[in-house]
Amino acid sequence: MYTDMVTLQTMDTIFYEAQRQGRISFYVTAVGEEAINIASAAALKIDDIVFPQYREAGVLLWRGFTIQEFANQCFSNKADYGKGRQMPIHYGSNKHNYVTVASTVATQLPQAVGAAYSLKMEKQDACAIAYVGDGGTSEGDFHAALNFAAVTEAPVIFFCRNNGWAISTPTSDQFRSDGVVVKGRAYGVRSIRVDGNDALAVYSAVHAARDMAIREQRPILIEALTYRVGHHSTSDDSTKYRPVEEIEWWKMERDPVTRFRNWMENNSWWSDKAELEARSSARKQILHAIQEAEKVDKPPVADIFTDVYDSPPSHLCEQEKLLREAIKRHPQDYPSDVPL
């Protein structure tokens, strides 16, 4: 778990820098929320279906998605499973039961309930888990999903990362309830609040929630209290709406990675040498993956129009024809590295 937390932290640092260098167009970090990512993933089984928001790359990392696969998606090359049609960090993997990230907030919640209900009907020894931020609980989809799950008694875990901010909107401007945990109880969903910066607490909560969801056939809501240390995304400057001192305090005093490391060192399970080796190895892997991803060709223009219909309908054929004509007339306005 700790090694993956270090890898996630290192990957976020390097990919964030790559975006600032103009090598990728967008990125989202999980700085301050590494324990939520890795510890929750460790408590699940591979047959459990994950419906992420967009700050759960660590869950996919734990499940075996390689650094190269992360890089391919962020660089939108032809090895990207989404064929370059998604923004960076919108990962998805059928192999790892990780549903593709969508930017639309909270739409994954009712979808997760539907998937969980199907697992129940098929009598599968598995559950669905849907991740959402505190901002997502202000969406109608959150309330519809909780009610849907409670009524159908679906084996689904709603995991809320209450990190204090919905982009620039603090929780105090979102709701007057005592956090998110009470919202679950109002719908008849068993709910618990945990320290999201404590990897062991997160692991224990998700492990117990999974057992309850499957054995008792019921939904569970977990509210993990944490803090978003990084900016919301590379399109955001969080110093415009919160003091730098606050960010630095959480980064220095409440970092979940440092906290987990201290616990391991106190048990003589980790050392400065192991730390240096882990971070050096992660950095080498990530830099190599980026260099390889940059060498791979972009997906061809034709891929824009595939994978929806078995046979492309006439209107899509017409659109593809018009696009190709536009590229020929105005080649300077289109990327030269996209194969026609």
Side-chain angles (χ1 to χ4, degrees):
M1 284 169 58
Y2 181 72
T3 301
D4 272 5
M5 288 168 70
V6 167
T7 300
L8 177 61
Q9 195 176 62
T10 307
M11 185 171 76
D12 277 349
T13 299
I14 295 175
F15 275 97
Y16 190 92
E17 292 171 351
Q19 192 281 334
R20 287 298 188 240
Q21 294 165 358
R23 297 163 79 179
I24 58 177
S25 62
F26 180 79
Y27 196 72
V28 168
T29 70
V31 181
E33 300 177 42
E34 294 90 351
I36 284 174
N37 269 255
I38 304 302
S40 65
L44 300 169
K45 303 295 184 184
I46 193 62
D47 289 337
D48 299 329
I49 306 173
V50 177
F51 287 79
Q53 188 171 20
Y54 41 64
R55 217 177 294 278
E56 284 79 36
V59 177
L60 193 50
L61 176 68
W62 174 268
R63 291 194 158 207
F65 205 69
T66 66
I67 299 298
Q68 191 62 62
E69 289 173 309
F70 281 113
N72 290 338
Q73 199 283 328
C74 286
F75 281 86
S76 300
N77 62 35
K78 69 178 184 181
D80 166 29
Y81 301 134
K83 299 183 180 180
R85 295 177 297 213
Q86 280 274 19
M87 290 169 62
I89 69 90
H90 286 55
Y91 312 111
S93 175
N94 290 340
K95 176 183 175 182
H96 299 97
N97 275 328
Y98 189 95
V99 178
T100 303
V101 173
S103 285
T104 45
V105 177
T107 54
Q108 71 277 12
L109 302 181
Q111 295 166 2
V113 180
Y117 191 49
S118 73
L119 292 172
K120 176 179 180 176
M121 290 192 292
E122 294 170 357
K123 296 180 170 29
Q124 298 293 311
D125 183 26
C127 69
I129 182 169
Y131 292 86
V132 67
D134 50 273
T137 69
S138 298
E139 294 282 346
D141 284 304
F142 172 81
H143 299 275
L146 262 65
N147 190 57
F148 183 20
V151 171
T152 59
E153 297 182 324
V156 57
I157 301 170
F158 298 104
F159 194 106
C160 175
R161 300 174 286 95
N162 186 346
N163 62 23
W165 296 92
I167 308 184
S168 59
T169 304
T171 53
S172 58
D173 287 346
Q174 289 187 65
F175 43 74
R176 287 292 182 267
S177 59
D178 178 17
V180 175
V181 70
V182 295
K183 298 183 181 183
R185 292 171 182 163
Y187 284 103
V189 175
R190 185 176 291 183
S191 307
I192 187 173
R193 175 181 288 158
V194 298
D195 181 349
N197 285 22
D198 183 342
L200 300 181
V202 172
Y203 178 89
S204 297
V206 176
H207 187 273
R210 183 184 187 274
D211 179 66
M212 290 179 196
I214 297 172
R215 181 168 46 83
E216 301 176 22
Q217 292 294 288
R218 64 188 302 165
I220 307 290
L221 170 66
I222 298 173
E223 178 187 17
L225 296 181
T226 183
Y227 186 83
R228 194 196 75 217
V229 172
H231 303 301
H232 179 263
S233 72
T234 49
S235 301
D236 173 49
D237 179 3
S238 62
T239 62
K240 299 295 184 182
Y241 53 82
R242 58 182 185 175
V244 175
E245 296 77 16
E246 177 182 297
I247 300 171
E248 286 301 312
W249 184 83
W250 278 93
K251 186 176 181 179
M252 300 304 297
E253 301 295 329
R254 291 291 183 269
D255 176 47
V257 182
T258 302
R259 182 173 175 176
F260 199 37
R261 176 188 174 182
N262 289 340
W263 176 75
M264 291 201 305
E265 287 180 340
N266 289 336
N267 283 282
S268 301
W269 297 336
W270 199 249
S271 64
D272 289 343
K273 180 182 178 183
E275 180 75 11
L276 182 63
E277 290 175 352
R279 291 193 177 275
S280 176
S281 175
R283 183 173 179 80
K284 287 179 182 177
Q285 290 181 57
I286 295 160
L287 290 174
H288 176 73
I290 287 177
Q291 291 168 357
E292 291 300 307
E294 286 183 312
K295 297 176 185 176
V296 179
D297 292 339
K298 299 295 184 185
V301 166
D303 280 358
I304 297 174
F305 304 94
T306 60
D307 297 331
V308 175
Y309 299 96
D310 181 37
S311 299
S314 59
H315 71 279
L316 281 186
C317 293
E318 179 66 16
Q319 287 177 26
E320 182 177 355
K321 177 185 174 184
L322 293 172
L323 175 59
R324 291 183 181 280
E325 290 174 354
I327 294 173
K328 289 179 180 177
R329 287 197 308 269
H330 309 285
Q332 73 281 1
D333 296 329
Y334 291 86
S336 60
D337 58 347
V338 176
L340 297 177

